[in-house]
Amino acid sequence: MSRPAFARIHLGHLRHNYRLLKQRAGKAAIMAVIKADAYGHGLHLVAPALLGEGCRCFAVTDADEGTQLRRIIGETSDIVLLSGIFDTADAQQAEELVFTPVITRMHQLSLLSAAGFSGGVWLKVDTGMNRLGAKNITVLNAACTARGIKVTGVMSHLACADEPLHTMNIEQAARFLESAAKLPDGIPRSLLNSAGLIALPDCTFDVVRPGIALYGAEPVRNQPLGLQPVMQFGGQIMQLRDVPRGANLSYGATFTAPRDMRIATLSTGYADGLPRQLSNHGAAAVLSQTTTGDTAILDIVGRVCMDYCLLDASQVDVKVGTEVEFWGTHIPATRVAEQVGTIAYELFTGVGKRVRRESIE
Ligand SMILES: Cc1ncc(COP(=O)(O)O)c(C=O)c1O
């Protein structure tokens, strides 16, 4: 039996979130962003569920991720490579597996031409984030025409959409429209990620590209969309011990028991994705209810180790085998992320490979 650290993937919640985003998108199509193993949720679980909801356009990072996805979904849908292609092998794979790369540089078009690429590409324009994207897409568009490569669409990415009132949002939208207007009529346009759907609801255009919202983390702190958490990340109590007042716990003896205590040892540590910054700081929700029907919350005591952490179980009736949640249904991932100075994206994608992804309905 493998160690009982788990990431339960609630497919019913994923479907709920997809439907909600579809409503928000209006007439625009959804390009579901499922890169990085569906933000750590498991591509093999997430992609078929979204396909079942009618999603026919998926975005991953590169040709490797695209290849994995093609194996899962077959030829049903469009697979967009957000980071484009890097070399000749990628270009050949794009042709063989019918990927739609996002193009930001002329060199990528040369690679595609050399591979006899017969598919389409998205052009990406930089409107102010200064990360990826061409400054002048008319040149790229002309090069596509010259090489007989179809332009499937034009996209840009927002830098500050999670702050809806940030001036960059409207500035980027204006620059995007200005660039897109220089292209021939009818080329599909895409600007918004999850938070963009809140920040710029009038800019859904033809395609929207939600990622984090699919997984149920609210993209804008004080404007919840009503999303449901998809991942429940947790573990099991593997040992219980009574320690006397004054006992030191875990590495570095950073916690000294202020009274006699009952300590639960959990089968989850930082190699599973539980941030070490939660040492003496975080909490876990017990997944069996108390007699009053409440959910008991236990403090993490001592340092989080690679494979374990310790919880103060002095006040609750738990057993070896009792399951706890670190984030998910009872403790929002966004709250844990704030506690450790990061974002839910990093928590989700940090869940270790060795953690079992189990789907539930
Ligand atoms: C180009 C692009 N579009 C869309 C997304 C999805 O963003 P979010 O997860 O914030 O919705 C990403 C994610 O990083 C991205 O890089």
Side-chain angles (χ1 to χ4, degrees):
M1 184 193 161
S2 59
R3 293 163 55 258
F6 59 83
R8 246 160 233 154
I9 305 303
H10 203 306
L11 297 180
H13 288 182
L14 176 70
R15 292 190 188 101
H16 163 88
N17 298 339
Y18 179 78
R19 286 175 201 162
L20 208 141
L21 291 166
K22 239 185 124 30
Q23 271 172 17
R24 284 247 158 193
K27 289 198 180 100
I30 298 229
M31 182 191 292
V33 181
I34 55 173
K35 60 184 175 163
D37 199 27
Y39 287 40
H41 289 64
L43 196 62
H44 62 295
L45 301 176
V46 168
L50 294 177
L51 200 61
E53 282 299 300
C55 184
R56 291 294 176 268
C57 183
F58 297 95
V60 292
T61 292
D62 56 18
D64 285 353
E65 289 188 1
T67 303
Q68 281 177 43
L69 181 58
R70 197 47 98 210
R71 274 191 213 117
I72 296 168
I73 63 172
E75 284 164 18
T76 50
S77 308
D78 197 13
I79 297 180
V80 177
L81 311 182
L82 289 177
S83 301
I85 53 159
F86 293 88
D87 55 22
T88 307
D90 285 356
Q92 283 162 355
Q93 264 177 332
E95 170 61 11
E96 278 162 31
L97 297 177
V98 200
F99 298 147
T100 311
V102 175
I103 296 301
T104 52
R105 306 177 280 139
M106 205 60 99
H107 176 60
Q108 295 170 310
L109 288 178
S110 308
L111 289 170
L112 288 172
S113 289
F117 183 66
S118 57
V121 297
W122 277 85
L123 302 181
K124 188 166 186 183
V125 56
D126 179 18
T127 50
M129 181 153 169
N130 285 307
R131 183 179 69 169
L132 261 190
K135 284 287 175 204
N136 183 342
I137 43 161
T138 43
V139 177
L140 275 185
N141 182 60
C144 287
T145 311
R147 288 172 158 87
I149 293 176
K150 180 174 181 290
V151 175
T152 307
V154 54
M155 68 165 70
S156 192
H157 195 45
L158 297 171
C160 303
D162 57 341
E163 294 173 56
L165 298 179
H166 201 294
T167 52
M168 282 267 300
N169 295 322
I170 41 171
E171 284 164 18
Q172 283 194 264
R175 281 188 214 121
F176 178 65
L177 285 174
E178 201 182 304
S179 288
K182 293 181 188 148
L183 298 179
D185 284 348
I187 293 186
R189 295 168 302 170
S190 173
L191 179 63
L192 304 186
N193 62 347
S194 302
L197 284 161
I198 297 167
L200 296 172
D202 296 334
C203 294
T204 46
F205 304 133
D206 303 295
V207 179
V208 294
R209 310 188 308 272
I212 196 72
L214 285 170
Y215 310 103
E218 292 291 349
V220 176
R221 203 165 182 259
N222 46 16
Q223 294 184 54
L225 293 170
L227 302 166
Q228 294 175 349
V230 176
M231 180 191 288
Q232 184 178 53
F233 174 65
Q236 250 184 33
I237 296 179
M238 52 187 289
Q239 213 170 75
L240 281 163
R241 72 181 63 236
D242 294 316
V243 301
R245 179 168 174 258
N248 293 323
L249 302 185
S250 191
Y251 285 122
T254 59
F255 183 91
T256 305
R259 52 188 153 73
D260 292 354
M261 293 176 81
R262 173 153 265 224
I263 299 297
T265 304
L266 263 289
S267 61
T268 315
Y270 60 76
D272 300 304
L274 185 68
R276 191 166 174 275
Q277 300 97 306
L278 290 175
S279 301
N280 289 315
H281 199 50
V286 177
L287 291 180
S288 53
Q289 284 188 343
T290 60
T291 42
T292 56
D294 299 332
T295 300
I297 303 288
L298 311 186
D299 288 339
I300 296 180
V301 283
R303 283 204 183 136
V304 173
C305 311
M306 188 184 291
D307 308 321
Y308 315 104
C309 71
L310 305 179
L311 301 177
D312 174 5
S314 308
Q315 310 295 329
V316 287
D317 179 24
V318 288
K319 303 182 184 60
V320 168
T322 297
E323 289 184 343
V324 305
E325 167 197 299
F326 294 103
W327 63 74
T329 314
H330 304 284
I331 305 178
T334 42
R335 191 195 301 162
V336 179
E338 259 179 44
Q339 259 187 308
V340 300
T342 186
I343 49 179
Y345 302 67
E346 191 175 71
L347 292 186
F348 294 155
T349 55
V351 171
K353 275 206 176 74
R354 66 187 193 178
V355 174
R356 269 202 316 273
R357 269 76 173 169
E358 313 164 341
S359 62
I360 53 169
E361 279 303 322

